[in-house]
Amino acid sequence: MNIQNIFVVGAGLMGSGIAQTAIASGYNVILNDQRLETLERARGGIEKALAHDVAKGRMSEADRDAALSRLSLAENMAAAKEADLVIEAIYENAEAKQAVFAQLEDICPEHTIFASNTSSISLTTLASATKRPDRVVGLHFFSPVPKMRLCEVICGLLTSQEVLSTIKEVGEKMGKTLILSDDKPGFIVNRILLPMLNEACCALDVHVGTVEDIDDGMKLGCNHPMGPLELADMIGLDILLNVMEVMALEYGEKYSSSMILRKLVRAGYMGRKSGAGFYVYQDGKKAGVNPVLVKERSLMSCAN
């Protein structure tokens, strides 16, 4: 099957990154979101990123202009009526993702492939909301999408080989290295990575070390390019928590989320995207450890 038109649902960090990668790879893309301001912000970010590629000599001005001409914005799902491939990239919630696929069921042609950028949710579960479970697949990109080489393909119970072959062609045209995972919560990468990040949160929670010492330990002792708590901030603490809850539901207490992780998310600290998580960020750059994690409290100075 020849894919030409891609409909991306969700214009956040992941959706806009997928759209940018797709238009730079020659695909026509309609980027969809319910909020016009989100769409306009996404387009501005894509334009800025491609201008940076031109300035660095990674793309010609003609190629940039051609790529941008392949990008359209839409607030309405009806714009998916000619999509060959839908890539859903909304927040990590099974019911919300199923609702997207159910809404698109009667809009998209029969040949349209439904792909989800889910990082943990069962593709078989998502496919149950459609009349085309054989055409539902996982297409898990990593952030930032234009720079990260890996794309994880997840095969649902009923996903057809023809769909997998088509998705392989799409991923490779986007310049990605593909790995295939069975439909088990967390898949390959997050099944291994996120429990490590959660364990770093647990170590902080019981005062094994400070935020910086935990991160420095893994960077300098294990040669990781980024410490686990800083990486959690980059991924998004809410996303880490959601994935851990999905895996705990399926796999049991071994995957229970850290108390400090739950507290930070409840307090609105989502990581880099919210301006603070384990660290605080200014203009997107790390500026120090979040003060709420280091301040001391005492009743000694309180009035009787």
Side-chain angles (χ1 to χ4, degrees):
M1 176 182 168
N2 182 34
I3 301 293
Q4 293 182 322
N5 303 314
I6 299 178
F7 188 78
V8 179
V9 183
L13 179 65
M14 294 303 296
S16 60
I18 293 167
Q20 177 186 327
T21 303
I23 61 173
S25 303
Y27 292 108
N28 300 318
V29 174
I30 297 176
L31 182 59
N32 165 264
D33 200 280
Q34 295 178 342
R35 293 162 294 189
L36 180 59
E37 61 270 23
T38 302
L39 288 169
E40 292 176 341
R41 184 168 58 247
R43 178 165 56 189
I46 292 171
E47 290 173 348
K48 183 178 179 179
L50 294 184
H52 181 73
D53 284 344
V54 171
K56 292 293 184 179
R58 293 191 288 262
M59 173 182 278
S60 69
E61 291 187 2
D63 286 343
R64 175 201 60 195
D65 294 343
L68 290 173
S69 73
R70 291 189 285 268
L71 176 66
S72 302
L73 307 180
E75 295 176 79
N76 197 310
M77 287 284 194
K81 63 183 180 180
E82 296 181 358
D84 300 311
L85 170 64
V86 167
I87 303 178
E88 168 276 309
I90 67 170
Y91 58 98
E92 195 74 350
N93 178 274
E95 290 75 18
K97 292 176 184 292
Q98 285 181 314
V100 167
F101 285 164
Q103 187 175 354
L104 289 170
E105 182 67 52
D106 296 326
I107 296 173
C108 295
E110 290 184 2
H111 73 266
T112 305
I113 295 171
F114 287 176
S116 175
N117 186 54
T118 179
S119 55
S120 64
I121 297 170
S122 165
L123 270 300
T124 304
T125 298
L126 297 183
S128 68
T130 79
K131 299 173 184 175
R132 59 183 87 192
D134 60 317
R135 305 195 71 74
V136 177
V137 67
L139 200 54
H140 180 208
F141 294 89
F142 291 79
S143 182
V145 179
K147 295 182 179 179
M148 296 294 284
R149 293 175 54 198
L150 184 69
C151 184
E152 198 171 27
V153 178
I154 301 93
C155 180
L157 182 64
L158 299 176
T159 305
S160 73
Q161 181 59 51
E162 182 251 329
V163 164
L164 290 177
S165 298
T166 300
I167 287 299
K168 180 176 184 290
E169 293 177 6
V170 172
E172 290 179 345
K173 187 174 178 179
M174 289 188 185
K176 304 303 180 186
T177 297
L178 305 179
I179 58 175
L180 180 64
S181 171
D182 194 10
D183 187 20
K184 293 182 173 65
F187 316 130
I188 294 173
V189 176
N190 284 342
R191 173 78 182 264
I192 298 167
L193 174 64
L194 268 58
M196 185 196 77
L197 304 188
N198 185 61
E199 189 62 25
C201 299
C202 292
L204 179 68
D205 214 1
V206 297
H207 310 292
V208 170
T210 66
V211 170
E212 291 171 311
D213 284 345
I214 290 170
D215 275 353
D216 285 344
M218 296 306 292
K219 286 190 292 186
L220 303 178
C222 298
N223 205 29
H224 290 190
M226 185 180 293
L229 300 177
E230 185 181 2
L231 179 56
D233 273 356
M234 188 183 79
I235 293 171
L237 302 191
D238 54 332
I239 294 174
L240 172 57
L241 178 59
N242 287 341
V243 176
M244 292 307 300
E245 288 179 342
V246 169
M247 291 199 289
L249 184 64
E250 294 290 337
Y251 299 135
E253 187 177 352
K254 173 183 176 182
Y255 292 88
S256 295
S257 57
S258 156
M259 176 62 73
I260 192 63
L261 176 62
R262 297 197 297 271
K263 287 168 69 174
L264 286 171
V265 171
R266 289 167 185 164
Y269 296 118
M270 304 299 179
R272 187 179 295 181
K273 63 187 175 185
S274 69
F278 291 103
Y279 297 90
V280 292
Y281 299 87
Q282 295 178 356
D283 298 324
K285 296 182 180 180
K286 188 171 67 174
V289 174
N290 191 334
V292 303
L293 298 174
V294 295
K295 69 181 180 181
E296 296 181 2
R297 295 184 176 91
S298 172
L299 293 175
M300 298 300 293
S301 60
C302 296
N304 292 328

